[in-house]
Amino acid sequence: MKKTVEEHAARFDDLAADYDEEKSAEYNECVALVLEHANPDSDDTVLDLGCGTGAIALGLAEEAGRVVGRDISEGMMDEARRKADERGLDNVEFGQGQFREPNYDGEVDIVTSNFAMHHLSDEEKREAISVITGLGPRRIVLGDLMFFGGGALRAPEASGEEPRAPNPEGPFYSPEVDDPATVGVLVDAFTDEGYAITAVEMVHEQVGVLVAERP
């Protein structure tokens, strides 16, 4: 993680009021794909990690039995709570939690996350995925910054090459705060935990959605 949890939380507290404005088409497509692939049943419990202002959590609340949102930023969650109240949704709740410490020990059927895990280093992502799979959901849907093929801006560690500079035309990767993984790193992390990758959607060469399911 390139900044501390506290630094990230403070940054998103400052962004919260305007966070939903002027989102990119790629971000919105990613949200739509995460919602589509999550596809909860009416009695499912969904855990949305890095829930932010509630784009995923609120989008699933009308279909799921219960939605639990977790984030490090109270400012972002205040916006999510406000929107839940406006929509009259009483089956969604928000509270403090991190990927590696989600602060949730109940049953969960589906875990979602959108545009949040990329703040973790690759090793931290592996730890987070181990924690998430340990909760036993049947499906995990991850939308995030991730590098596909020619969009991979880092050479593989095994190559011994120096990482390449970010593509200035890639609008999603800010090296000061972001640390995206390659798709391969994420796939390996899920399969190493015994989950099968059932869908990979490329939205942009630096943005995509992965779906992992318990066999």
Side-chain angles (χ1 to χ4, degrees):
M1 184 178 289
K2 295 189 174 182
K3 291 184 180 292
T4 66
V5 170
E6 292 75 18
E7 287 171 330
H8 278 298
R11 174 172 168 259
F12 282 106
D13 284 345
D14 291 340
L15 295 172
D18 301 319
Y19 187 79
D20 292 337
E21 297 180 4
E22 299 181 0
K23 285 298 183 187
S24 68
E26 290 84 356
Y27 175 89
N28 291 331
E29 184 176 349
C30 209
V31 168
L33 285 169
V34 171
L35 295 175
E36 176 185 342
H37 283 292
N39 190 28
D41 295 330
S42 60
D43 58 351
D44 280 341
T45 296
V46 179
L47 175 62
D48 185 34
L49 295 173
C51 62
T53 59
I56 302 301
L58 300 177
L60 295 174
E62 294 183 4
E63 303 296 332
R66 180 186 180 211
V67 180
V68 178
R70 290 289 183 262
D71 205 279
I72 61 173
S73 167
E74 279 295 337
M76 298 286 273
M77 288 188 291
D78 284 344
E79 288 295 309
R81 295 181 184 109
R82 179 185 61 77
K83 290 190 288 184
D85 288 342
E86 287 179 351
R87 300 179 193 184
L89 297 171
D90 58 6
N91 64 332
V92 57
E93 62 187 79
F94 299 97
Q96 283 281 337
Q98 306 174 29
F99 283 107
R100 291 169 293 168
E101 297 179 17
N103 190 28
Y104 180 79
D105 59 4
E107 293 186 2
V108 59
D109 301 290
I110 300 168
V111 173
T112 57
S113 182
N114 192 56
F115 270 64
M117 192 180 284
H118 61 270
H119 296 299
L120 303 180
S121 69
D122 285 1
E123 184 57 36
E124 289 168 335
K125 290 183 186 74
R126 281 189 167 274
E127 294 172 9
I129 289 169
S130 179
V131 170
I132 293 167
T133 56
L135 296 172
R138 72 171 185 272
R139 182 179 307 127
I140 301 166
V141 186
L142 173 66
D144 207 355
L145 301 174
M146 58 185 72
F147 297 140
F148 289 82
L153 305 183
R154 299 181 294 187
E157 292 178 6
S159 72
E161 298 176 9
E162 290 296 320
R164 284 171 282 170
N167 177 356
E169 297 191 5
F172 303 102
Y173 178 44
S174 299
E176 298 83 6
V177 294
D178 299 332
D179 194 9
T182 63
V183 173
V185 165
L186 295 170
V187 168
D188 286 349
F190 282 113
T191 57
D192 285 351
E193 296 296 331
Y195 276 64
I197 300 298
T198 57
V200 179
E201 303 262 18
M202 185 176 79
V203 174
H204 176 278
E205 65 178 14
Q206 296 177 33
V207 179
V209 174
L210 297 183
V211 181
E213 301 199 50
R214 189 180 62 215

